[in-house]
Amino acid sequence: AWAEWPFSQWRAGFRNAEAFWREAARVPGVGEHHTAMVNFFARQYLDMLNPANGLFTNPVVLKQTAASAGANLVKGLGNWVADATGVPTAEDLAMRDQFKVGVDVAVTPGKVVYRNHLVELIRYAPQTATVQPEPVFIVPSWIMKYYILDLSPHNSMARYLVDQGHTVYMLSWRNPDERDRDLTMDDYLEMGVLEALRAARHDAGAAELHAMGYCLGGTLLAIAVAALSRAGGVAGYPDLPAPKTLTLLAAQVDFSEPGELGLFIDEGQVTLLDHITKGQGYLTGKQMAGSFQFLHSRDLVWTRQMREYLMGEREQPNDLMAWNADTTRLPARMHHEYLVALYLKNAFAYGRYRVGGQPVSLSDLRMPVFLVGTERDHVSPWRSVYKLHLLSDVEITFVLCSGGHNAGIISEPGHHNRRYRIATRPERGEWHSADEWLQQARQVEGSWWPAWESWLTRHSGAPVKARPIPASHALGNAPGQYVMQRYAE
């Protein structure tokens, strides 16, 4: 339909405007940061003016309107009124309860075996007669509910691992409120990672652990593991060794090129965010979600509104969308510290980030690393994730998978149209740039999960008999209490 006149002319004009602004944004003498900002905001403005957003400039909408005698517009008006007033339609109510935590998602059997003020530690029940002797300890990002890694049974990473004979420990972060305004990055490191890591090791009978972190959870885990790997370890944790292996999923350790998210993180923006969070004591989930909508406005705002308000098609939810709507908060002080230390100062990459009063360095890592980036990641661009190769000489197996920050990671076996590239740089191996790696890496069709599971198995000992979770260790059933915390924003 877009090939017909006059729509073809509008489409061509829009694409020409996009090309013009890509060129116009590059002005001699203007710094790279401000050039990127001009380009980004020009694209936001153009996305708003896209002819696909209009009733009379979108041929698909016009044909649907003629075919349905305007029924799509009536339905779309009802959708708009529901969104504007906050009063859901009958269809909205029917869809709202499709994915309940502990009923439809986050249903892998397990027990909470440790709890402190900040985290719960879930141990999943074994599903095989024998298991690998080294459990997998997982740290999700604190800006998300953990069950993105335990969605529906068919696409749950936690379920996949236990079905393959791994014992899995999962962190579940508490959803902070105004009383937690003074929690710090050190609190998140100690209470969130180190204490839980020690509790998992104790529960596993002092076994070695495989450690995995996702997004900012991976960044925090990398800081903790680097600190544990240095001479002397971490003060207060003399009995806690570094894990046997380290896996980082879409996790940056060098923030010099953080992608489009970095456009909004400078000293002025941090000051503004401090002012916003000072009174309430936290950054709300709604405020954080708005940032990601801004980054993906074409898909998350304009295309969605066109479909729902002009085509009359309510977006059908899935488990990943339901998880995405289950927002979390960030304590004000911790939020400020991580923006300044990681984004503004890039302290971790430069060896200036301090744990227990001493700087930590990724050069202290001694274990093999499995590193995953995703092709369309706007939060942790894969070339930024790849920079770990510059900061550590350990063996690194790097995987670049199709999809974005979330959908690329949740890529279970059998998922259609999935592929990945994989290559391993040996310990102290030759350096290759990200683009060189891309040319040399082997491409594989399908999910990257089996490749990771095989890697874990190769770095594990001989299987041992599975142990049930002792009743004396259980504080309650999975998914626990903290994941259920929700607040009206």
Side-chain angles (χ1 to χ4, degrees):
W2 282 99
E4 300 173 5
W5 188 91
F7 307 107
S8 59
Q9 300 301 308
W10 291 337
R11 180 178 63 177
F14 179 74
R15 288 178 174 173
N16 289 338
E18 286 185 311
F20 169 81
W21 278 105
R22 279 195 298 268
E23 294 295 326
R26 308 200 69 83
V27 179
V30 176
E32 190 67 29
H33 176 72
H34 290 95
T35 296
M37 289 187 69
V38 170
N39 187 61
F40 177 83
F41 282 101
R43 192 171 74 250
Q44 298 297 311
Y45 190 67
L46 285 168
D47 286 346
M48 182 176 65
L49 299 178
N50 191 321
N53 299 335
L55 170 60
F56 297 106
T57 54
N58 187 324
V60 180
V61 173
L62 289 175
K63 289 186 176 183
Q64 177 66 19
T65 303
S68 67
N72 58 307
L73 299 181
V74 175
K75 180 74 179 303
L77 178 62
N79 292 339
W80 180 84
V81 170
D83 291 344
T85 61
V87 179
T89 65
E91 183 182 3
D92 295 338
L93 290 173
M95 293 189 299
R96 178 177 294 176
D97 295 330
Q98 281 187 329
F99 299 99
K100 289 185 177 180
V101 178
V103 177
D104 307 292
V105 294
V107 295
T108 303
K111 302 287 186 181
V112 176
V113 296
Y114 174 76
R115 179 186 294 123
N116 62 27
H117 179 72
L118 192 56
V119 297
E120 289 180 326
L121 182 65
I122 298 168
R123 175 183 165 191
Y124 293 105
Q127 301 296 315
T128 54
T130 61
V131 296
Q132 302 296 333
E134 300 89 353
V136 182
F137 174 81
I138 299 178
V139 182
S141 174
W142 60 79
I143 67 172
M144 58 177 68
K145 296 290 181 70
Y146 85 86
Y147 67 90
I148 187 175
L149 300 174
D150 185 22
L151 287 171
S152 304
H154 75 278
N155 62 356
S156 165
M157 181 180 286
R159 182 65 183 241
Y160 174 78
L161 288 172
V162 294
D163 283 348
Q164 301 303 311
H166 295 275
T167 300
V168 177
Y169 290 90
M170 178 80 73
L171 275 192
S172 175
W173 296 97
R174 183 173 180 271
N175 203 356
D177 56 31
E178 61 275 3
R179 296 168 295 179
D180 301 309
R181 65 174 63 243
D182 291 322
L183 287 176
T184 65
M185 278 288 287
D186 285 344
D187 291 328
Y188 269 66
L189 180 71
E190 294 175 14
M191 285 195 293
V193 177
L194 294 176
E195 289 186 12
L197 192 62
R198 182 164 59 185
R201 190 166 183 269
H202 174 74
D203 185 77
E208 290 187 285
L209 300 174
H210 298 297
M212 183 271 267
Y214 179 21
C215 187
L216 284 174
T219 304
L220 192 67
L221 177 64
I223 292 172
V225 173
L228 292 171
S229 300
R230 68 191 178 189
V234 179
Y237 299 87
D239 58 338
L240 185 59
K244 189 174 184 179
T245 68
L246 175 63
T247 298
L248 301 176
L249 310 183
Q252 298 175 97
V253 293
D254 183 322
F255 289 79
S256 58
E257 295 178 336
E260 290 182 340
L261 194 61
L263 297 177
F264 307 102
I265 303 175
D266 54 28
E267 292 183 0
Q269 290 297 317
V270 171
T271 300
L272 175 62
L273 286 169
D274 287 346
H275 178 74
I276 291 172
T277 59
K278 184 176 181 180
Q280 59 197 26
Y282 50 82
L283 186 74
T284 69
K286 184 177 180 180
Q287 290 166 333
M288 185 164 52
S291 300
F292 292 109
Q293 283 189 328
F294 197 39
L295 289 176
H296 301 275
S297 63
R298 177 173 293 187
D299 294 330
L300 298 182
V301 178
W302 302 113
T303 298
R304 173 183 170 273
Q305 290 188 5
M306 182 271 291
R307 289 175 177 166
E308 297 204 351
Y309 302 157
L310 298 183
M311 298 292 288
E313 300 172 354
R314 229 11 168 185
E315 194 167 33
Q316 296 299 310
N318 56 38
D319 49 9
L320 188 59
M321 290 170 57
W323 163 84
N324 192 55
D326 192 2
T327 57
T328 58
R329 294 169 161 184
L330 301 182
R333 183 173 176 182
M334 183 280 296
H335 185 234
H336 171 86
E337 290 180 352
Y338 106 79
L339 289 180
V340 172
L342 298 180
Y343 277 92
L344 293 187
K345 297 182 178 180
N346 201 16
F348 187 29
Y350 293 151
R352 298 171 186 164
Y353 195 93
R354 291 181 174 270
V355 174
Q358 299 295 321
V360 294
S361 172
L362 288 159
S363 64
D364 288 330
L365 295 182
R366 295 293 178 266
M367 70 290 294
V369 173
F370 195 92
L371 186 64
V372 179
T374 64
E375 291 177 349
R376 295 185 291 104
D377 198 330
H378 293 265
V379 179
S380 304
W382 76 266
R383 286 178 171 82
S384 181
V385 172
Y386 182 84
K387 287 187 175 184
L388 178 62
H389 289 76
L390 280 172
L391 302 173
S392 177
D393 289 329
V394 300
E395 174 194 297
I396 298 177
T397 298
F398 185 62
V399 167
L400 177 63
C401 57
S402 57
H405 186 71
N406 296 325
I409 298 301
I410 308 308
S411 179
E412 72 282 359
H415 196 126
H416 295 303
N417 301 318
R418 291 302 191 205
R419 68 184 185 280
Y420 63 94
R421 294 178 182 272
I422 185 169
T424 298
R425 186 202 68 182
E427 185 177 4
R428 301 187 182 279
E430 182 180 356
W431 157 254
H432 294 284
S433 70
D435 290 328
E436 290 172 337
W437 180 93
L438 190 63
Q439 296 299 318
Q440 299 172 7
R442 175 172 58 96
Q443 181 163 311
V444 183
E445 296 298 320
S447 167
W448 62 269
W449 288 11
W452 178 43
E453 195 279 324
S454 296
W455 182 87
L456 288 172
T457 300
R458 289 197 305 272
H459 290 90
S460 299
V464 297
K465 184 178 179 179
R467 297 183 303 116
I469 304 173
S472 59
H473 289 203
L475 303 179
N477 293 325
Q481 300 174 6
Y482 288 175
V483 74
M484 300 295 187
Q485 293 173 324
R486 294 175 176 84
Y487 304 104
E489 305 290 12

